[in-house]
């Protein structure tokens, strides 16, 4: 939480949450002050993630997360609060003072990450420089043979790791201690057999680079910072090790959260509203170099949910440019299954004669690739074609097999309507007349358990919501003048005073679903500077966020009076119920005196209620 006057507070004053969130989520204006988009924190196909432009907070009606600009960046980047403050400050060009952290552990973690990023940046520059040395002639030859220009090599920061394990270590050891070098994942070491303690208490170890005699491709996070490397072996003998060697997981690198080339591709993906997915790094480099900048690589392993969500921030349309039948088909199948399940619009681009994108571009050129891209096929058309090619669909036995092949794919589609359409399409294309097969198809289309369940919102009446709004108003001095005349700060302040007075004197909110939230707002300062920053329970915060986001109708004196009136009436009704119980009790006990008194009270109450 940012305290007034702190650096974080300064940053928060200047940050526009709509723009910051907009870097991660495609936002659409959906009201006077609201923007909505697909939630980056849970899987969804219809937008339930909202950003409130004037109140500067976000809230997801689907999964219930909410918070301010810092909490958003913290969550989405998986970083600490001070790191989020710095990141946003940097985006806004605000000079950052020395770091403040809430605890030593947090500070240490952030320092480690910052140092590792620095180390990777320097290692990357080192490898790039090595590619220009005489020793790297073979590497340059290999890259030239793959058709990579100097410009492409520079763009992708491709480098060369020398055949010896020590130059990188020697290059870095002046700036980083041994622990940091070990934490980078770039080195191997053998503990020395020498058991005698050395002068500094550490046993000597011999660090050597894991990447030797390899072409190095840096892997960057989506902000463009190098966080890992892939090394391709140049030698082919037994000692060369695996053809491709990757950095291990480190404090800054988690394989399952990174998409190769997304840092360079993201703008194009957003602009063109689709991504091209290829299998390998060389393919993505070739496609990018040919001018198709919206290309990313899966690096031959199945997509993870984190990667799919990462991609969904930029577009939910994808053209898959690898043969799902080829080697690694299982991984491709899993990736596609995940994308279908996340409601991506998928097309399949199959290149002639099974050429991979890199080879295709070199043999046929970019125009041919552009044409192929235009001709890419809808994923389900592709699957149906595949079923027709694989099974004798003229026979009823072949039809059963084809349907069984297609059913699991159809089953993964989240929308029931889309599944139903698919079932019809399959039936038509496979000429299915069998009632039984149709039934199976329809069954597949009809059943599917829904996944994400929104947290229940308490049953709150409109009247309660209006009072919440009135109490939360007042700090809105940044409302554009004239944009919403009824929400002029002065007037809102007045509303707030009225409601405060009514609730504190009449205690009308006791027993309501919104009681604890209203109580917290009453206890807060007046005017409420930032009600979202109040210490609230999760459900109260959700209620506040959802109420503020639904501010469709401006507050007015009439609305407030109606709301208070509704509460008063409810209050009286509750009293009447109580009285009825007491009357029944008195009747049971034959207490004539009490009965008379209670009946009199009831008459008064009935009259009061009748007047309302
Ligand atoms: Zn959500």
């Amino acid at each position: 939480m940012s305290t007034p006057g702190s650096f974080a507070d300064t940053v928060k004053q200047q940050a526009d949450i709509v723009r910051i969130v907009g870097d991660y989520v495609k936002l659409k204006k959906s009201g006077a002050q609201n923007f909505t988009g697909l939630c980056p924190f849970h899987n969804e196909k219809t937008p339930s993630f909202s950003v409130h432009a004037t109140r500067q907070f976000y809230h997801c009606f689907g999964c219930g997360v909410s918070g301010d600009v810092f909490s958003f960046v913290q969550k989405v980047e998986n970083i600490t609060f001070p790191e989020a403050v710095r990141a946003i400050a940097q985006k806004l060009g605000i000079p950052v003072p020395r770091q403040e952290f809430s605890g030593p552990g947090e500070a240490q973690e952030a320092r480690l990450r910052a140092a590792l990023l620095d180390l990777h940046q320097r290692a990357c520059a080192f490898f790039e420089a090595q590619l220009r040395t005489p020793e790297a002639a073979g590497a340059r030859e290999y890259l030239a043979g793959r058709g990579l220009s100097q410009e492409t090599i520079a763009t992708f920061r491709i480098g060369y790791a020398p055949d010896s394990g020590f130059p990188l270590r020697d290059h870095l050891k002046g700036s980083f201690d041994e622990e940091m070098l070990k934490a980078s994942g770039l080195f191997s070491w053998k503990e020395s057999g020498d058991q005698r303690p050395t002068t500094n208490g550490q046993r000597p170890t011999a660090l050597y680079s894991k990447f030797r005699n390899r072409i190095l491709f840096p892997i960057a996070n989506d902000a463009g910072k190098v966080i890992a490397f892939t090394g391709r072996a140049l030698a082919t003998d037994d000692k060369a090790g695996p053809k491709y060697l990757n950095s291990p997981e480190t404090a800054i690198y988690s394989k399952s959260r990174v998409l190769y080339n997304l840092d360079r591709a993201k703008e194009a993906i957003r602009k063109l509203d689709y991504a091209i997915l290829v299998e390998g790094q060389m393919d993505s480099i070739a496609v990018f170099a040919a001018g198709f900048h919206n290309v990313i690589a899966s690096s031959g392993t199945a997509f993870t949910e984190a990667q799919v969500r990462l991609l969904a921030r930029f577009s939910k349309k994808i053209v898959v440019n690898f043969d799902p039948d080829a080697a690694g088909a299982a991984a491709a199948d899993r990736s596609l299954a995940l994308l279908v399940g996340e409601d991506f619009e998928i097309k399949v681009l199959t290149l002639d004669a099974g050429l991979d994108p890199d080879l295709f571009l070199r043999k046929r050129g970019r125009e041919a690739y552009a044409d192929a891209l235009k001709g890419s096929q809808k994923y389900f058309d592709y699957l149906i074609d595949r079923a027709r090619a694989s099974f004798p669909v003229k026979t009823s036995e072949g039809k059963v097999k084809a349907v069984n092949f297609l059913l699991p794919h159809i089953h993964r589609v989240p929308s029931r309507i889309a599944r139903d359409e698919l079932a019809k399409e399959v039936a038509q294309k496979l000429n299915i007349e069998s009632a039984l097969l149709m039934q199976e198809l329809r069954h597949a289309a009809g059943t599917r358990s829904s996944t994400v369940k929104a947290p229940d919102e308490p049953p709150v009446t409109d009247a309660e919501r209006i009072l919440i709004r009135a109490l939360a108003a007042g700090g809105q001095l940044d409302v554009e003048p004239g944009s919403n005349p009824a929400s002029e700060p002065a007037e809102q302040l007045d509303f707030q005073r009225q409601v405060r007075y009514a609730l504190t004197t009449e205690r009308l909110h006791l027993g309501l679903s919104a009681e604890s939230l209203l109580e917290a707002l009453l206890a807060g300062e007046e005017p409420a500077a930032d009600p979202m920053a109040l210490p609230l329970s999760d459900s109260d915060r959700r209620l506040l966020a959802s109420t503020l986001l639904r501010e469709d109708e401006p507050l007015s004196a009439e609305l407030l009076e109606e709301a208070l009136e509704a509460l008063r009436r409810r209050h009286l009704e509750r009293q009447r119920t109580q009285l009825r119980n007491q009357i029944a009790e008195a009747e049971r006990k034959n207490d004539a005196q009490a009965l008379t008194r209670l009946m009199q009270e009831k008459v008064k109450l009935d009259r009061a209620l009748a007047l309302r």
Side-chain angles (χ1 to χ4, degrees):
M1 216 123 293
S2 53
T3 39
S6 66
F7 178 66
D9 189 48
T10 313
V11 173
K12 195 171 172 172
Q13 297 295 326
Q14 293 184 40
D16 176 9
I17 194 169
V18 177
R19 292 180 85 176
I20 303 278
V21 171
D23 281 347
Y24 302 89
V25 180
K26 242 176 126 165
L27 289 174
K28 269 199 190 116
K29 202 158 195 322
S30 69
Q33 305 157 346
N34 295 1
F35 291 80
T36 53
L38 293 171
C39 178
F41 305 119
H42 85 276
N43 309 323
E44 61 176 6
K45 51 187 196 301
T46 48
S48 49
F49 183 83
S50 304
V51 179
H52 198 296
T54 35
R55 290 180 180 274
Q56 293 286 303
F57 72 86
Y58 66 93
H59 174 72
C60 176
F61 289 95
C63 67
V65 293
S66 66
D68 64 6
V69 66
F70 296 135
S71 105
F72 179 83
V73 172
Q74 258 181 278
K75 275 202 182 77
V76 83
E77 296 280 3
N78 197 23
I79 55 180
T80 63
F81 176 76
E83 287 175 300
V85 175
R86 292 170 69 87
I88 295 170
Q90 272 160 7
K91 264 189 196 184
L92 299 174
I94 303 171
V96 182
R98 279 180 357 100
Q99 243 159 307
E100 311 159 35
F101 289 98
S102 61
E106 208 171 71
Q108 208 181 347
E109 218 179 279
R111 263 201 302 274
L112 171 68
R113 276 201 291 264
L116 286 179
L117 287 176
D118 185 25
L119 186 152
H120 275 77
Q121 159 60 26
R122 293 201 206 190
C124 186
F126 171 81
F127 292 135
E128 284 182 278
Q130 290 296 309
L131 187 62
R132 296 187 285 267
T133 61
E135 188 196 325
R140 290 193 298 271
E141 209 171 289
Y142 169 82
L143 292 170
R146 299 293 304 253
L148 268 65
S149 68
Q150 283 306 316
E151 192 196 337
T152 303
I153 290 170
T155 303
F156 286 86
R157 305 194 64 187
I158 298 168
Y160 171 70
D163 205 8
S164 160
F166 304 120
L168 178 66
R169 181 199 64 187
D170 295 343
H171 179 72
L172 295 174
K173 74 179 176 191
S175 316
F176 302 95
D177 63 21
E178 191 175 298
E179 285 313 302
M180 200 58 78
L181 295 181
K182 283 182 175 175
S184 75
L186 302 181
F187 296 93
S188 302
W189 60 89
K190 287 195 184 83
E191 295 293 337
S192 159
D194 189 350
Q195 297 297 311
R196 284 170 302 169
T198 55
T199 42
N200 63 2
Q202 281 184 337
R203 227 162 271 152
T205 51
L207 291 184
Y208 55 96
S209 174
K210 275 183 189 161
F211 298 103
R212 297 184 303 280
N213 194 23
R214 286 174 182 271
I215 300 207
L216 283 208
F217 301 93
I219 297 169
N221 60 20
D222 60 297
K225 296 267 196 314
V226 178
I227 51 175
F229 293 95
T230 295
R232 191 199 186 279
L234 283 165
T236 46
D237 54 24
D238 295 345
K239 278 189 284 179
K243 189 170 168 191
Y244 287 99
L245 183 69
N246 291 304
S247 287
E249 304 258 318
T250 65
I252 53 170
Y253 175 55
S254 167
K255 193 174 185 208
S256 64
R257 298 175 67 99
V258 175
L259 285 167
Y260 182 71
N261 200 44
L262 184 64
D263 55 321
R264 277 175 290 262
K266 62 185 180 184
E267 283 317 313
I269 292 173
R270 215 195 298 255
K271 217 164 88 194
L272 300 168
D273 195 15
Y274 78 98
I276 304 172
L277 178 67
V278 297
E279 219 164 357
Q281 289 167 340
M282 278 309 290
D283 285 332
S284 78
I285 292 171
V287 172
F288 189 94
F292 307 93
H293 288 180
N294 52 333
V295 63
I296 50 168
S298 65
S299 304
T301 53
F303 261 8
T304 62
E305 272 191 41
Q307 287 169 320
V308 170
R309 275 186 228 169
L310 184 61
L311 183 57
R313 283 189 207 162
F314 305 99
S315 175
K316 289 199 88 171
K317 292 181 189 151
I318 193 164
V319 175
V320 178
N321 185 195
F322 49 75
D323 189 353
D325 272 338
D333 244 17
R334 277 205 303 281
S335 296
L336 286 165
L338 201 57
L339 289 165
V340 170
E342 296 302 326
D343 216 30
F344 268 70
E345 209 179 298
I346 309 167
K347 287 183 172 180
V348 177
L349 167 55
T350 318
L351 297 170
D352 289 355
L355 291 176
D356 64 26
D358 177 28
L359 213 56
F360 183 90
L361 277 159
R362 276 190 280 157
K363 288 194 168 170
R364 309 271 166 90
R366 58 154 301 164
E367 291 304 319
Y369 190 79
D371 285 345
L373 206 49
K374 268 182 223 136
S376 50
Q377 202 179 12
K378 276 196 217 153
Y379 180 51
F380 273 91
D381 289 345
Y382 163 87
L383 283 176
I384 294 168
D385 280 0
R386 206 165 118 185
R388 279 207 287 218
S390 317
F391 308 105
V393 289
K394 292 226 158 59
T395 69
S396 55
E397 205 192 341
K399 279 179 189 159
V400 172
K401 282 184 177 157
V403 167
N404 283 336
F405 164 78
L406 291 167
L407 277 180
H409 295 284
I410 296 173
H411 210 67
R412 287 182 192 127
V413 176
S415 145
R416 191 194 163 122
I417 297 166
R419 289 199 301 279
D420 205 49
E421 291 284 304
L422 279 173
K424 278 187 204 138
E425 216 177 301
V426 168
Q428 195 207 342
K429 288 197 173 159
L430 297 180
N431 262 325
I432 290 169
E433 282 136 18
S434 147
L436 196 66
L437 270 187
M438 267 317 285
Q439 200 188 328
E440 266 205 68
L441 269 169
R442 278 210 203 94
H443 183 71
T447 55
R448 191 175 186 274
S449 56
S450 70
T451 42
V452 181
K453 195 184 168 289
D456 290 331
E457 264 188 37
V460 178
T461 58
D462 288 347
E464 288 168 74
R465 288 196 187 270
I466 285 167
L467 298 180
I468 292 170
R469 284 175 52 191
L471 284 179
Q476 297 306 300
L477 298 172
D478 50 357
V479 172
E480 280 172 56
S483 65
N484 191 354
S487 63
E488 288 296 335
E491 201 175 337
Q492 291 215 350
L493 215 53
D494 198 46
F495 293 154
Q496 185 175 145
R497 293 221 178 91
Q498 274 182 44
V499 173
R500 259 177 196 278
Y501 181 77
L503 292 188
T504 12
T505 50
E506 299 174 57
R507 310 300 291 159
L508 296 170
H509 57 298
L510 299 190
L512 298 181
S513 304
E515 178 184 336
S516 57
L517 174 57
L518 287 166
E519 198 55 46
L521 289 168
L522 283 173
E525 54 189 306
E526 180 195 351
D530 183 3
M532 285 297 288
L534 286 171
L536 299 172
S537 70
D538 284 352
S539 62
D540 279 350
R541 192 177 308 283
R542 273 203 294 278
L543 173 58
L544 176 60
S546 72
T547 303
L548 296 178
L549 282 163
R550 283 176 193 148
E551 279 181 316
D552 34 12
E553 163 181 35
L555 282 182
S556 66
E558 292 76 43
L559 267 182
L560 276 188
E561 204 36 59
E562 270 171 37
L564 286 171
E565 206 40 49
L567 256 57
R568 287 191 185 110
R569 164 174 273 276
R570 209 200 55 116
H571 195 67
L572 290 173
E573 272 163 0
R574 281 203 342 181
Q575 278 184 315
R576 185 160 66 175
T577 311
Q578 267 177 2
L579 261 181
R580 279 189 185 134
N581 290 339
Q582 285 170 331
I583 289 168
E585 181 71 12
E587 277 174 339
R588 212 169 42 81
K589 286 184 183 161
N590 264 329
D591 187 343
Q593 216 182 352
L595 203 59
T596 316
R597 182 176 50 82
L598 291 168
M599 288 305 279
Q600 277 167 355
E601 273 184 52
K602 187 172 173 290
V603 170
K604 264 196 249 169
L605 253 179
D606 284 343
R607 205 173 289 154
L609 271 163
L611 285 174
R612 290 182 182 275

